[in-house]
Amino acid sequence: MSNNGGYTIADENVSEADLRKFYKKAKEVLELKSKDLDLIFEIALENRKLFPNMNLKGNDKNPKNYIDRWVKGYSEARNNLPHRRIAKPKSTCNDPAITVMVRVARNMTEQQSKIGVSNHNLFMSAENIQGNLLEEYIALTIRPYGFLWCNGNVLHAIDFCNSNGSFFLQVKNKSNTENSSSDKIRKDTKIEKWYRLGTKICNGIKVPDFKWDYLNDLIKIHLTEGTNLSPCNMSEEDYQNFLKDVALNNHELITDL
């Protein structure tokens, strides 16, 4: 796996004993108790190239600081789950030229165009958070089968792994949401890619083609726990019900600003 740029302990000649010591201390400082992170840490120790890059500079570039940041990133992600987040307004303003063009082309009133811009912002806000919510839904469903959510960027280009580190999974919402950089990373590893939404043609019309059955099969093949449970049965209906519950309980999850 290529880890270009940044700082990673994969390039450091540091003993396993020291890394374990740094890890134990970092957890104590944050009062973090997490069996899942313990398992992820062991998996990364087996192949240090799995540790991600971090933007450490100068004297901060050392294994202890790296492990401190690594543990803190996981802890913060666990304490700030996607369904609890409060959406922030866009960091840029709307382009008035676009508004003028749409208003004239569709013969809209100024008020109608303002509503259109607001709705556009709302849908974009929902699209921005959906990828994180997708991971959260999957994490809740597959943990009983021995799969760990690598939340907080604790493994390089990996969203989920099973508890013995024999399977790594990268999750995308759509087939076209992966950039060339992450695609190259996966080619050099055992990382499996799965995306939720594809497209198929029915009677000449493009319609959604959901890939949940394939993901359920991957979980069945690579599970390390839950052999006595019913097979994993994630579905689009169940996922959308999850989204409905999330949106109902957190109206500030998305914004039209």
Side-chain angles (χ1 to χ4, degrees), residues 112-128:
Q112 286 174 324
S113 67
K114 286 182 178 179
I115 293 173
V117 169
S118 178
N119 287 337
H120 172 74
N121 291 341
L122 197 62
F123 277 87
M124 290 301 297
S125 179
E127 187 171 335
N128 289 337

PDB file of all heavy atoms in Angstrom, residues 112-128:
ATOM      1  N   GLN A 112     -39.543  32.114  -6.475  1.00  0.00           N
ATOM      2  CA  GLN A 112     -39.424  30.714  -6.866  1.00  0.00           C
ATOM      3  C   GLN A 112     -37.958  30.296  -6.996  1.00  0.00           C
ATOM      4  O   GLN A 112     -37.580  29.185  -6.602  1.00  0.00           O
ATOM      5  CB  GLN A 112     -40.155  30.472  -8.190  1.00  0.00           C
ATOM      6  CG  GLN A 112     -41.657  30.465  -8.078  1.00  0.00           C
ATOM      7  CD  GLN A 112     -42.336  30.374  -9.433  1.00  0.00           C
ATOM      8  OE1 GLN A 112     -41.856  30.938 -10.432  1.00  0.00           O
ATOM      9  NE2 GLN A 112     -43.468  29.665  -9.483  1.00  0.00           N
ATOM     10  N   SER A 113     -37.158  31.180  -7.545  1.00  0.00           N
ATOM     11  CA  SER A 113     -35.737  30.840  -7.694  1.00  0.00           C
ATOM     12  C   SER A 113     -35.039  30.763  -6.338  1.00  0.00           C
ATOM     13  O   SER A 113     -34.168  29.917  -6.132  1.00  0.00           O
ATOM     14  CB  SER A 113     -35.035  31.872  -8.591  1.00  0.00           C
ATOM     15  OG  SER A 113     -34.985  33.152  -7.969  1.00  0.00           O
ATOM     16  N   LYS A 114     -35.443  31.603  -5.376  1.00  0.00           N
ATOM     17  CA  LYS A 114     -34.876  31.531  -4.035  1.00  0.00           C
ATOM     18  C   LYS A 114     -35.229  30.203  -3.362  1.00  0.00           C
ATOM     19  O   LYS A 114     -34.397  29.596  -2.687  1.00  0.00           O
ATOM     20  CB  LYS A 114     -35.384  32.701  -3.190  1.00  0.00           C
ATOM     21  CG  LYS A 114     -34.771  34.040  -3.540  1.00  0.00           C
ATOM     22  CD  LYS A 114     -35.298  35.139  -2.618  1.00  0.00           C
ATOM     23  CE  LYS A 114     -34.656  36.480  -2.938  1.00  0.00           C
ATOM     24  NZ  LYS A 114     -35.190  37.574  -2.065  1.00  0.00           N
ATOM     25  N   ILE A 115     -36.471  29.767  -3.562  1.00  0.00           N
ATOM     26  CA  ILE A 115     -36.897  28.475  -3.012  1.00  0.00           C
ATOM     27  C   ILE A 115     -36.104  27.347  -3.664  1.00  0.00           C
ATOM     28  O   ILE A 115     -35.685  26.385  -2.995  1.00  0.00           O
ATOM     29  CB  ILE A 115     -38.402  28.262  -3.224  1.00  0.00           C
ATOM     30  CG1 ILE A 115     -39.197  29.261  -2.388  1.00  0.00           C
ATOM     31  CG2 ILE A 115     -38.816  26.826  -2.868  1.00  0.00           C
ATOM     32  CD1 ILE A 115     -40.689  29.249  -2.665  1.00  0.00           C
ATOM     33  N   GLY A 116     -35.862  27.475  -4.972  1.00  0.00           N
ATOM     34  CA  GLY A 116     -35.080  26.463  -5.681  1.00  0.00           C
ATOM     35  C   GLY A 116     -33.660  26.357  -5.147  1.00  0.00           C
ATOM     36  O   GLY A 116     -33.136  25.254  -4.956  1.00  0.00           O
ATOM     37  N   VAL A 117     -33.038  27.513  -4.897  1.00  0.00           N
ATOM     38  CA  VAL A 117     -31.675  27.520  -4.344  1.00  0.00           C
ATOM     39  C   VAL A 117     -31.661  26.890  -2.964  1.00  0.00           C
ATOM     40  O   VAL A 117     -30.774  26.085  -2.622  1.00  0.00           O
ATOM     41  CB  VAL A 117     -31.131  28.963  -4.282  1.00  0.00           C
ATOM     42  CG1 VAL A 117     -29.834  29.008  -3.453  1.00  0.00           C
ATOM     43  CG2 VAL A 117     -30.874  29.502  -5.679  1.00  0.00           C
ATOM     44  N   SER A 118     -32.646  27.234  -2.158  1.00  0.00           N
ATOM     45  CA  SER A 118     -32.746  26.678  -0.809  1.00  0.00           C
ATOM     46  C   SER A 118     -32.899  25.155  -0.855  1.00  0.00           C
ATOM     47  O   SER A 118     -32.246  24.421  -0.105  1.00  0.00           O
ATOM     48  CB  SER A 118     -33.922  27.316  -0.073  1.00  0.00           C
ATOM     49  OG  SER A 118     -34.073  26.773   1.219  1.00  0.00           O
ATOM     50  N   ASN A 119     -33.757  24.693  -1.744  1.00  0.00           N
ATOM     51  CA  ASN A 119     -33.955  23.249  -1.881  1.00  0.00           C
ATOM     52  C   ASN A 119     -32.695  22.550  -2.381  1.00  0.00           C
ATOM     53  O   ASN A 119     -32.364  21.446  -1.938  1.00  0.00           O
ATOM     54  CB  ASN A 119     -35.124  22.960  -2.830  1.00  0.00           C
ATOM     55  CG  ASN A 119     -36.466  23.267  -2.207  1.00  0.00           C
ATOM     56  OD1 ASN A 119     -36.609  23.295  -0.988  1.00  0.00           O
ATOM     57  ND2 ASN A 119     -37.470  23.520  -3.041  1.00  0.00           N
ATOM     58  N   HIS A 120     -31.993  23.203  -3.298  1.00  0.00           N
ATOM     59  CA  HIS A 120     -30.737  22.636  -3.801  1.00  0.00           C
ATOM     60  C   HIS A 120     -29.738  22.471  -2.658  1.00  0.00           C
ATOM     61  O   HIS A 120     -29.093  21.419  -2.531  1.00  0.00           O
ATOM     62  CB  HIS A 120     -30.154  23.545  -4.887  1.00  0.00           C
ATOM     63  CG  HIS A 120     -28.776  23.137  -5.320  1.00  0.00           C
ATOM     64  ND1 HIS A 120     -28.541  22.035  -6.122  1.00  0.00           N
ATOM     65  CD2 HIS A 120     -27.558  23.688  -5.047  1.00  0.00           C
ATOM     66  CE1 HIS A 120     -27.236  21.927  -6.325  1.00  0.00           C
ATOM     67  NE2 HIS A 120     -26.625  22.913  -5.696  1.00  0.00           N
ATOM     68  N   ASN A 121     -29.617  23.503  -1.835  1.00  0.00           N
ATOM     69  CA  ASN A 121     -28.703  23.428  -0.695  1.00  0.00           C
ATOM     70  C   ASN A 121     -29.094  22.296   0.251  1.00  0.00           C
ATOM     71  O   ASN A 121     -28.238  21.598   0.807  1.00  0.00           O
ATOM     72  CB  ASN A 121     -28.690  24.754   0.071  1.00  0.00           C
ATOM     73  CG  ASN A 121     -28.039  25.878  -0.706  1.00  0.00           C
ATOM     74  OD1 ASN A 121     -27.297  25.644  -1.654  1.00  0.00           O
ATOM     75  ND2 ASN A 121     -28.327  27.112  -0.315  1.00  0.00           N
ATOM     76  N   LEU A 122     -30.389  22.127   0.435  1.00  0.00           N
ATOM     77  CA  LEU A 122     -30.897  21.093   1.332  1.00  0.00           C
ATOM     78  C   LEU A 122     -30.520  19.698   0.825  1.00  0.00           C
ATOM     79  O   LEU A 122     -30.047  18.851   1.582  1.00  0.00           O
ATOM     80  CB  LEU A 122     -32.408  21.233   1.453  1.00  0.00           C
ATOM     81  CG  LEU A 122     -33.110  20.541   2.617  1.00  0.00           C
ATOM     82  CD1 LEU A 122     -32.618  21.079   3.949  1.00  0.00           C
ATOM     83  CD2 LEU A 122     -34.621  20.738   2.505  1.00  0.00           C
ATOM     84  N   PHE A 123     -30.727  19.475  -0.461  1.00  0.00           N
ATOM     85  CA  PHE A 123     -30.406  18.163  -1.033  1.00  0.00           C
ATOM     86  C   PHE A 123     -28.896  17.915  -1.026  1.00  0.00           C
ATOM     87  O   PHE A 123     -28.445  16.781  -0.782  1.00  0.00           O
ATOM     88  CB  PHE A 123     -30.960  18.054  -2.454  1.00  0.00           C
ATOM     89  CG  PHE A 123     -32.404  17.655  -2.503  1.00  0.00           C
ATOM     90  CD1 PHE A 123     -33.415  18.612  -2.432  1.00  0.00           C
ATOM     91  CD2 PHE A 123     -32.773  16.319  -2.600  1.00  0.00           C
ATOM     92  CE1 PHE A 123     -34.749  18.239  -2.469  1.00  0.00           C
ATOM     93  CE2 PHE A 123     -34.108  15.944  -2.629  1.00  0.00           C
ATOM     94  CZ  PHE A 123     -35.106  16.904  -2.569  1.00  0.00           C
ATOM     95  N   MET A 124     -28.109  18.947  -1.282  1.00  0.00           N
ATOM     96  CA  MET A 124     -26.653  18.790  -1.247  1.00  0.00           C
ATOM     97  C   MET A 124     -26.175  18.480   0.165  1.00  0.00           C
ATOM     98  O   MET A 124     -25.261  17.667   0.369  1.00  0.00           O
ATOM     99  CB  MET A 124     -25.972  20.056  -1.773  1.00  0.00           C
ATOM    100  CG  MET A 124     -26.133  20.270  -3.264  1.00  0.00           C
ATOM    101  SD  MET A 124     -25.459  18.906  -4.260  1.00  0.00           S
ATOM    102  CE  MET A 124     -23.721  19.010  -3.809  1.00  0.00           C
ATOM    103  N   SER A 125     -26.790  19.112   1.155  1.00  0.00           N
ATOM    104  CA  SER A 125     -26.444  18.854   2.546  1.00  0.00           C
ATOM    105  C   SER A 125     -26.736  17.400   2.909  1.00  0.00           C
ATOM    106  O   SER A 125     -25.936  16.729   3.574  1.00  0.00           O
ATOM    107  CB  SER A 125     -27.229  19.798   3.465  1.00  0.00           C
ATOM    108  OG  SER A 125     -26.941  19.555   4.824  1.00  0.00           O
ATOM    109  N   ALA A 126     -27.883  16.908   2.444  1.00  0.00           N
ATOM    110  CA  ALA A 126     -28.242  15.508   2.700  1.00  0.00           C
ATOM    111  C   ALA A 126     -27.267  14.564   2.011  1.00  0.00           C
ATOM    112  O   ALA A 126     -26.863  13.535   2.574  1.00  0.00           O
ATOM    113  CB  ALA A 126     -29.668  15.249   2.225  1.00  0.00           C
ATOM    114  N   GLU A 127     -26.882  14.906   0.793  1.00  0.00           N
ATOM    115  CA  GLU A 127     -25.942  14.059   0.061  1.00  0.00           C
ATOM    116  C   GLU A 127     -24.580  14.016   0.759  1.00  0.00           C
ATOM    117  O   GLU A 127     -23.924  12.973   0.794  1.00  0.00           O
ATOM    118  CB  GLU A 127     -25.788  14.571  -1.366  1.00  0.00           C
ATOM    119  CG  GLU A 127     -24.966  13.656  -2.257  1.00  0.00           C
ATOM    120  CD  GLU A 127     -25.007  14.058  -3.718  1.00  0.00           C
ATOM    121  OE1 GLU A 127     -25.988  14.713  -4.131  1.00  0.00           O
ATOM    122  OE2 GLU A 127     -24.072  13.703  -4.453  1.00  0.00           O
ATOM    123  N   ASN A 128     -24.184  15.141   1.334  1.00  0.00           N
ATOM    124  CA  ASN A 128     -22.879  15.212   1.993  1.00  0.00           C
ATOM    125  C   ASN A 128     -22.804  14.329   3.233  1.00  0.00           C
ATOM    126  O   ASN A 128     -21.748  13.780   3.549  1.00  0.00           O
ATOM    127  CB  ASN A 128     -22.556  16.662   2.375  1.00  0.00           C
ATOM    128  CG  ASN A 128     -22.243  17.517   1.175  1.00  0.00           C
ATOM    129  OD1 ASN A 128     -21.853  17.013   0.121  1.00  0.00           O
ATOM    130  ND2 ASN A 128     -22.422  18.827   1.309  1.00  0.00           N
TER     131      ASN A 128
END
